[in-house]
Short mmCIF file of all heavy atoms in Angstrom, two decimals:
data_model
loop_
_atom_site.label_atom_id
_atom_site.label_comp_id
_atom_site.label_asym_id
_atom_site.label_seq_id
_atom_site.Cartn_x
_atom_site.Cartn_y
_atom_site.Cartn_z
N ILE G 393 0.20 31.01 -21.60
CA ILE G 393 1.62 30.84 -21.96
C ILE G 393 1.80 29.60 -22.82
O ILE G 393 2.51 29.62 -23.84
CB ILE G 393 2.49 30.74 -20.67
CG1 ILE G 393 2.38 32.03 -19.86
CG2 ILE G 393 3.94 30.42 -21.01
CD1 ILE G 393 3.02 31.97 -18.49
N ILE G 394 1.11 28.54 -22.46
CA ILE G 394 1.27 27.28 -23.21
C ILE G 394 0.70 27.45 -24.63
O ILE G 394 1.35 27.09 -25.63
CB ILE G 394 0.58 26.10 -22.47
CG1 ILE G 394 1.29 25.84 -21.14
CG2 ILE G 394 0.60 24.83 -23.33
CD1 ILE G 394 0.60 24.89 -20.20
N ALA G 395 -0.47 28.04 -24.73
CA ALA G 395 -1.11 28.21 -26.05
C ALA G 395 -0.24 29.08 -26.94
O ALA G 395 -0.10 28.82 -28.15
CB ALA G 395 -2.49 28.82 -25.88
N LYS G 396 0.37 30.10 -26.36
CA LYS G 396 1.18 31.03 -27.13
C LYS G 396 2.47 30.37 -27.66
O LYS G 396 2.93 30.67 -28.77
CB LYS G 396 1.55 32.22 -26.22
CG LYS G 396 2.16 33.38 -26.92
CD LYS G 396 2.29 34.56 -25.96
CE LYS G 396 3.42 35.44 -26.46
NZ LYS G 396 4.11 36.11 -25.37
N ASN G 397 3.03 29.43 -26.87
CA ASN G 397 4.33 28.85 -27.23
C ASN G 397 4.27 27.46 -27.84
O ASN G 397 5.27 26.99 -28.40
CB ASN G 397 5.22 28.78 -25.98
CG ASN G 397 5.62 30.15 -25.49
OD1 ASN G 397 6.56 30.75 -26.00
ND2 ASN G 397 4.88 30.69 -24.52
N ALA G 398 3.13 26.81 -27.71
CA ALA G 398 3.05 25.39 -28.09
C ALA G 398 3.51 25.13 -29.51
O ALA G 398 4.29 24.21 -29.78
CB ALA G 398 1.63 24.88 -27.89
N ARG G 399 3.04 25.96 -30.45
CA ARG G 399 3.36 25.76 -31.86
C ARG G 399 4.88 25.63 -32.07
O ARG G 399 5.36 24.74 -32.76
CB ARG G 399 2.78 26.93 -32.67
CG ARG G 399 3.01 26.87 -34.14
CD ARG G 399 2.09 27.84 -34.86
NE ARG G 399 0.70 27.42 -34.81
CZ ARG G 399 0.16 26.48 -35.59
NH1 ARG G 399 0.90 25.86 -36.48
NH2 ARG G 399 -1.10 26.16 -35.49
N GLU G 400 5.64 26.53 -31.42
CA GLU G 400 7.09 26.55 -31.59
C GLU G 400 7.75 25.28 -31.04
O GLU G 400 8.76 24.82 -31.56
CB GLU G 400 7.63 27.80 -30.85
CG GLU G 400 9.10 28.01 -30.98
CD GLU G 400 9.60 29.12 -30.05
OE1 GLU G 400 8.78 29.99 -29.64
OE2 GLU G 400 10.80 29.08 -29.71
N TYR G 401 7.17 24.69 -30.00
CA TYR G 401 7.81 23.55 -29.34
C TYR G 401 7.24 22.20 -29.77
O TYR G 401 7.67 21.17 -29.27
CB TYR G 401 7.71 23.71 -27.81
CG TYR G 401 8.61 24.80 -27.30
CD1 TYR G 401 8.16 26.12 -27.20
CD2 TYR G 401 9.93 24.53 -26.95
CE1 TYR G 401 8.99 27.14 -26.76
CE2 TYR G 401 10.79 25.54 -26.51
CZ TYR G 401 10.30 26.84 -26.42
OH TYR G 401 11.14 27.82 -25.98
N LEU G 402 6.27 22.23 -30.68
CA LEU G 402 5.68 20.96 -31.11
C LEU G 402 6.23 20.54 -32.46
O LEU G 402 6.50 21.40 -33.33
CB LEU G 402 4.16 21.09 -31.22
CG LEU G 402 3.35 21.04 -29.93
CD1 LEU G 402 1.88 21.32 -30.23
CD2 LEU G 402 3.49 19.70 -29.20
N THR G 403 6.37 19.23 -32.66
CA THR G 403 6.71 18.72 -33.99
C THR G 403 5.45 18.86 -34.87
O THR G 403 4.37 19.20 -34.37
CB THR G 403 7.11 17.23 -33.91
OG1 THR G 403 6.05 16.54 -33.26
CG2 THR G 403 8.40 17.02 -33.17
N GLU G 404 5.61 18.54 -36.12
CA GLU G 404 4.45 18.59 -37.00
C GLU G 404 3.39 17.62 -36.47
O GLU G 404 3.72 16.49 -36.07
CB GLU G 404 4.90 18.14 -38.40
CG GLU G 404 4.13 18.80 -39.51
CD GLU G 404 4.62 18.30 -40.85
OE1 GLU G 404 5.87 18.24 -41.02
OE2 GLU G 404 3.79 17.95 -41.67
N LYS G 405 2.17 18.03 -36.43
CA LYS G 405 1.05 17.23 -35.88
C LYS G 405 1.25 16.88 -34.40
O LYS G 405 0.67 15.92 -33.89
CB LYS G 405 0.83 15.96 -36.70
CG LYS G 405 0.33 16.26 -38.09
CD LYS G 405 -0.19 15.02 -38.76
CE LYS G 405 -0.63 15.39 -40.16
NZ LYS G 405 -0.43 14.33 -41.12
N GLY G 406 2.11 17.65 -33.75
CA GLY G 406 2.30 17.45 -32.31
C GLY G 406 1.02 17.77 -31.54
O GLY G 406 0.15 18.49 -32.03
N ILE G 407 0.93 17.22 -30.31
CA ILE G 407 -0.33 17.40 -29.56
C ILE G 407 -0.04 17.95 -28.15
O ILE G 407 0.94 17.56 -27.51
CB ILE G 407 -1.07 16.05 -29.37
CG1 ILE G 407 -1.14 15.28 -30.69
CG2 ILE G 407 -2.45 16.25 -28.79
CD1 ILE G 407 -1.74 13.88 -30.55
N VAL G 408 -0.93 18.83 -27.72
CA VAL G 408 -0.86 19.33 -26.34
C VAL G 408 -2.00 18.68 -25.55
O VAL G 408 -3.15 18.68 -26.01
CB VAL G 408 -1.04 20.87 -26.29
CG1 VAL G 408 -1.06 21.35 -24.83
CG2 VAL G 408 0.05 21.57 -27.06
N PHE G 409 -1.68 18.12 -24.38
CA PHE G 409 -2.71 17.61 -23.48
C PHE G 409 -2.68 18.42 -22.20
O PHE G 409 -1.63 18.49 -21.55
CB PHE G 409 -2.46 16.13 -23.13
CG PHE G 409 -2.87 15.18 -24.21
CD1 PHE G 409 -1.95 14.74 -25.15
CD2 PHE G 409 -4.18 14.74 -24.30
CE1 PHE G 409 -2.33 13.88 -26.16
CE2 PHE G 409 -4.57 13.86 -25.30
CZ PHE G 409 -3.65 13.43 -26.24
N LEU G 410 -3.80 19.03 -21.84
CA LEU G 410 -3.83 19.87 -20.65
C LEU G 410 -4.95 19.45 -19.70
O LEU G 410 -6.07 19.14 -20.16
CB LEU G 410 -4.10 21.34 -21.04
CG LEU G 410 -3.09 22.02 -21.96
CD1 LEU G 410 -3.61 23.40 -22.34
CD2 LEU G 410 -1.74 22.13 -21.25
N GLU G 411 -4.66 19.45 -18.42
CA GLU G 411 -5.75 19.30 -17.45
C GLU G 411 -6.26 20.71 -17.15
O GLU G 411 -5.47 21.65 -17.00
CB GLU G 411 -5.23 18.65 -16.16
CG GLU G 411 -6.34 18.52 -15.11
CD GLU G 411 -5.89 17.78 -13.86
OE1 GLU G 411 -5.13 16.81 -13.97
OE2 GLU G 411 -6.32 18.21 -12.77
N VAL G 412 -7.58 20.86 -17.11
CA VAL G 412 -8.14 22.19 -16.81
C VAL G 412 -9.13 22.08 -15.65
O VAL G 412 -9.66 20.99 -15.37
CB VAL G 412 -8.88 22.81 -18.04
CG1 VAL G 412 -7.91 23.08 -19.16
CG2 VAL G 412 -10.02 21.92 -18.51
N GLY G 413 -9.36 23.20 -14.98
CA GLY G 413 -10.33 23.22 -13.88
C GLY G 413 -11.75 23.20 -14.42
O GLY G 413 -11.98 23.50 -15.61
N ALA G 414 -12.71 22.88 -13.55
CA ALA G 414 -14.11 22.87 -13.98
C ALA G 414 -14.45 24.26 -14.51
O ALA G 414 -14.01 25.27 -13.95
CB ALA G 414 -15.00 22.53 -12.79
N ASP G 415 -15.19 24.34 -15.61
CA ASP G 415 -15.61 25.61 -16.23
C ASP G 415 -14.50 26.36 -16.96
O ASP G 415 -14.68 27.50 -17.37
CB ASP G 415 -16.24 26.57 -15.20
CG ASP G 415 -17.45 25.95 -14.53
OD1 ASP G 415 -18.13 25.15 -15.21
OD2 ASP G 415 -17.69 26.23 -13.34
N GLN G 416 -13.31 25.74 -17.09
CA GLN G 416 -12.23 26.47 -17.80
C GLN G 416 -12.07 25.99 -19.25
O GLN G 416 -11.40 26.65 -20.05
CB GLN G 416 -10.89 26.29 -17.07
CG GLN G 416 -10.84 26.99 -15.71
CD GLN G 416 -9.49 26.77 -15.02
OE1 GLN G 416 -8.85 25.74 -15.22
NE2 GLN G 416 -9.10 27.71 -14.20
N ALA G 417 -12.68 24.84 -19.55
CA ALA G 417 -12.41 24.20 -20.84
C ALA G 417 -12.69 25.13 -22.03
O ALA G 417 -11.84 25.23 -22.93
CB ALA G 417 -13.24 22.92 -20.96
N ASP G 418 -13.82 25.82 -22.03
CA ASP G 418 -14.16 26.67 -23.19
C ASP G 418 -13.13 27.77 -23.39
O ASP G 418 -12.68 28.02 -24.51
CB ASP G 418 -15.56 27.27 -23.01
CG ASP G 418 -16.64 26.23 -23.32
OD1 ASP G 418 -16.27 25.19 -23.94
OD2 ASP G 418 -17.80 26.44 -22.92
N SER G 419 -12.77 28.42 -22.29
CA SER G 419 -11.80 29.52 -22.39
C SER G 419 -10.47 29.00 -22.92
O SER G 419 -9.84 29.65 -23.77
CB SER G 419 -11.57 30.18 -21.03
OG SER G 419 -12.78 30.46 -20.41
N VAL G 420 -10.03 27.85 -22.43
CA VAL G 420 -8.72 27.31 -22.85
C VAL G 420 -8.80 26.89 -24.32
O VAL G 420 -7.88 27.14 -25.10
CB VAL G 420 -8.29 26.15 -21.94
CG1 VAL G 420 -6.98 25.54 -22.43
CG2 VAL G 420 -8.14 26.63 -20.50
N LYS G 421 -9.93 26.29 -24.69
CA LYS G 421 -10.11 25.84 -26.07
C LYS G 421 -9.91 27.03 -27.03
O LYS G 421 -9.21 26.92 -28.05
CB LYS G 421 -11.52 25.27 -26.21
CG LYS G 421 -11.82 24.68 -27.56
CD LYS G 421 -13.24 24.12 -27.56
CE LYS G 421 -13.56 23.64 -28.97
NZ LYS G 421 -14.93 23.27 -29.14
N ASP G 422 -10.50 28.17 -26.67
CA ASP G 422 -10.43 29.35 -27.53
C ASP G 422 -9.01 29.89 -27.69
O ASP G 422 -8.72 30.64 -28.62
CB ASP G 422 -11.33 30.47 -26.96
CG ASP G 422 -12.79 30.08 -27.06
OD1 ASP G 422 -13.10 29.11 -27.81
OD2 ASP G 422 -13.63 30.71 -26.38
N MET G 423 -8.13 29.53 -26.77
CA MET G 423 -6.76 30.05 -26.85
C MET G 423 -5.96 29.36 -27.95
O MET G 423 -4.94 29.86 -28.38
CB MET G 423 -6.03 29.82 -25.52
CG MET G 423 -6.58 30.62 -24.36
SD MET G 423 -5.73 30.10 -22.87
CE MET G 423 -6.78 30.86 -21.65
#
Side-chain angles (χ1 to χ4, degrees):
I393 298 172
I394 295 170
K396 191 172 155 211
N397 292 278
R399 181 165 290 281
E400 183 189 337
Y401 288 90
L402 282 174
T403 54
E404 211 180 314
K405 293 193 181 147
I407 313 175
V408 176
F409 281 95
L410 300 174
E411 178 176 322
V412 295
D415 302 328
Q416 292 179 330
D418 282 345
S419 312
V420 177
K421 184 179 176 188
D422 292 345
M423 293 174 193

